[in-house]
Amino acid sequence: MQYFKKLLEIFIVSTRLGFTSFGGPVAHLGYFHQEYVRKRKWMDEKSYADLVALSQFLPGPASSQVGIGIGVMRGGVLGGIVSFIGFTMPSVIALILFAYFAQQLGLMEFGIIQGLKIVAVVIVAHAILGMAKSLTPDLTRKSIALFALLITLLIPHNLSQIGVILVAGLLGYSMFSKKEEHDGLSLQVPLSKKIGLVCLSLFFGLLTILPILSSLISNTWLSMVDSFYRAGALVFGGGHVVLPLLEREFVPTGFISEEAFLSGYAAAQAVPGPLFTFAAFIGADMNGWLGGMIATFSIFLPAILLIFGVLPFWHALRKNHHIRGAFIAINAAVVGILISAFYMPIWTSAIITPLDFSLAAILFFMLVYWKLPPWLIVLAGALGGVLIEMT
């Protein structure tokens, strides 16, 4: 009985955060620190810092993984699942509802969509530049990113992404094995290593098998699950960088129109919680509320499996030079994969005229140097698109 009361408490607190956590992953971590560390004292400062460091190291939505990890520390596996549901549910419901009413909102008129395309260029470029700075600081890692960029751009196939990741991991296993050692986590994890092994096996197994099955079997649902799962498994650095991967998977294939895709992205900027819930809009636009729920589950599943799988082994993994080296190279390769997806179709479909480039430059300045919030950049871009259409 006491355990179920604890789960209910986790659900209530995480749901309240899901309704109020605006501002992106950095802001989410601040909300979590205030609520879980300072107010409720569910974790101490060092453990929270360690959990944040772990989540930054893994692919997936960092703030969501921190929230899941806090739930695990508080209530085990069910605590992590309940924490994830609470934090994610409000924005998922909002975006599924928006998908139902998007056609009546008139977002396809007056050049708004062209403005939103340019906004996507600006926000994703900024996110990728930040990733490149931290994940490819030296010539070797820049070279790995270039290799990944060329392969995925010239061979645009689902399996090419997986192949690049595998090659990068093998290179990093030996090339970066002598990097300096980090301290292990101080976290006391209430998960067994058996659970960790099962979750890690599922993570890598699905990442390998789903693209193969999708290539062999023509099924819309299977293709959707594969696309969302790979996007969730390959993204580092927050939700904005998932945009080019999702657009490449769903717009050229005709699963969703470019107008609907961009209107959903604009709506995702306006709701609280993780930006990965943009998947709920795409899934709902494709296949109703069930599609929205399956899309959400598919894109978050890698993050859940990784945080469950790595926590019991993290201290040992951090001390293993070869494993850390593999992840270092994989991180660099992901930068190249994202640049490839950013160029086509994000850049090629948006920046067509000098006016488009001029608006992109203005919006980039507003975001990077004036440090205005993304939702305001969305509004400015939509207005800019209208003005371009009128010229």
Side-chain angles (χ1 to χ4, degrees):
M1 186 64 181
Q2 189 66 28
Y3 179 66
F4 288 106
K5 289 176 66 176
K6 184 179 290 187
L7 292 179
L8 180 61
E9 181 187 24
I10 295 171
F11 179 74
I12 291 172
V13 174
S14 60
T15 301
R16 186 168 66 246
L17 287 168
F19 275 108
T20 58
S21 295
F22 292 88
V26 175
H28 298 164
L29 296 178
Y31 294 131
F32 289 168
H33 182 269
Q34 175 64 29
E35 184 70 30
Y36 293 128
V37 179
R38 300 186 64 182
K39 182 178 178 180
R40 299 185 178 274
K41 302 188 185 303
W42 286 1
M43 303 181 75
D44 57 38
E45 294 280 354
K46 181 63 167 64
S47 295
Y48 182 74
D50 287 340
L51 184 58
V52 171
L54 165 60
S55 299
Q56 295 290 345
F57 181 83
L58 297 173
S63 60
S64 295
Q65 287 171 315
V66 170
I68 294 168
I70 291 171
V72 169
M73 299 303 152
R74 183 70 174 170
V77 171
L78 287 180
I81 293 173
V82 165
S83 179
F84 161 73
I85 292 173
F87 184 61
T88 309
M89 178 181 61
S91 54
V92 168
I93 293 174
L95 289 169
I96 288 177
L97 290 174
F98 179 77
Y100 277 105
F101 298 106
Q103 297 301 321
Q104 283 75 42
L105 296 181
L107 289 174
M108 292 180 284
E109 302 173 1
F110 309 118
I112 291 178
I113 288 300
Q114 178 59 20
L116 293 179
K117 289 181 186 179
I118 297 171
V119 168
V121 168
V122 170
I123 292 181
V124 176
H126 181 233
I128 291 177
L129 286 173
M131 286 182 61
K133 184 177 180 180
S134 62
L135 298 181
T136 59
D138 53 52
L139 182 59
T140 303
R141 278 175 274 188
K142 285 181 173 66
S143 300
I144 292 173
L146 176 62
F147 161 76
L149 165 64
L150 294 175
I151 294 298
T152 54
L153 190 62
L154 298 176
I155 311 174
H157 192 277
N158 297 349
L159 295 178
S160 66
Q161 294 180 0
I162 305 302
V164 164
I165 293 295
L166 291 175
V167 171
L170 292 173
L171 289 173
Y173 188 84
S174 58
M175 294 174 63
F176 297 105
S177 62
K178 295 182 180 180
K179 294 291 179 181
E180 68 276 5
E181 186 173 338
H182 297 278
D183 293 331
L185 287 178
S186 64
L187 295 172
Q188 299 299 312
V189 183
L191 294 180
S192 69
K193 291 185 177 181
K194 182 177 180 180
I195 291 176
L197 284 173
V198 170
C199 291
L200 288 175
S201 299
L202 282 173
F203 171 81
F204 289 107
L206 290 172
L207 187 60
T208 304
I209 292 171
L210 284 175
I212 297 174
L213 290 178
S214 181
S215 299
L216 297 176
I217 302 172
S218 179
N219 181 276
T220 301
W221 290 96
L222 178 60
S223 297
M224 185 176 77
V225 170
D226 168 45
S227 296
F228 281 116
Y229 186 87
R230 276 187 294 109
L234 297 179
V235 166
F236 293 78
H240 292 299
V241 291
V242 80
L243 181 71
L245 293 178
L246 292 179
E247 180 158 1
R248 172 180 281 183
E249 292 291 333
F250 294 105
V251 175
T253 54
F255 284 128
I256 184 173
S257 69
E258 189 165 32
E259 291 79 9
F261 183 91
L262 289 168
S263 64
Y265 176 67
Q269 300 287 335
V271 299
L275 190 60
F276 265 48
T277 54
F278 175 40
F281 173 87
I282 299 175
D285 186 86
M286 291 171 58
N287 289 305
W289 69 268
L290 182 59
M293 298 302 293
I294 290 177
T296 303
F297 173 77
S298 299
I299 200 169
F300 279 101
L301 181 59
I304 296 171
L305 292 175
L306 278 176
I307 200 73
F308 284 174
V310 171
L311 274 174
F313 301 100
W314 186 240
H315 181 73
L317 289 175
R318 292 271 288 203
K319 294 173 65 176
N320 188 306
H321 293 294
H322 294 291
I323 297 297
R324 286 191 296 105
F327 271 101
I328 287 172
I330 288 171
N331 289 354
V334 168
V335 173
I337 291 172
L338 289 173
I339 294 172
S340 168
F342 166 72
Y343 170 73
M344 189 171 63
I346 297 287
W347 178 277
T348 55
S349 66
I351 307 301
I352 301 169
T353 69
L355 282 176
D356 295 333
F357 188 84
S358 299
L359 177 58
I362 293 169
L363 295 176
F364 189 84
F365 192 93
M366 293 169 63
L367 179 66
V368 176
Y369 299 109
W370 288 357
K371 301 189 183 303
L372 298 177
W375 65 266
L376 192 57
I377 306 301
V378 169
L379 292 179
L383 177 60
V386 172
L387 294 176
I388 289 175
E389 182 72 16
M390 293 171 61
T391 58

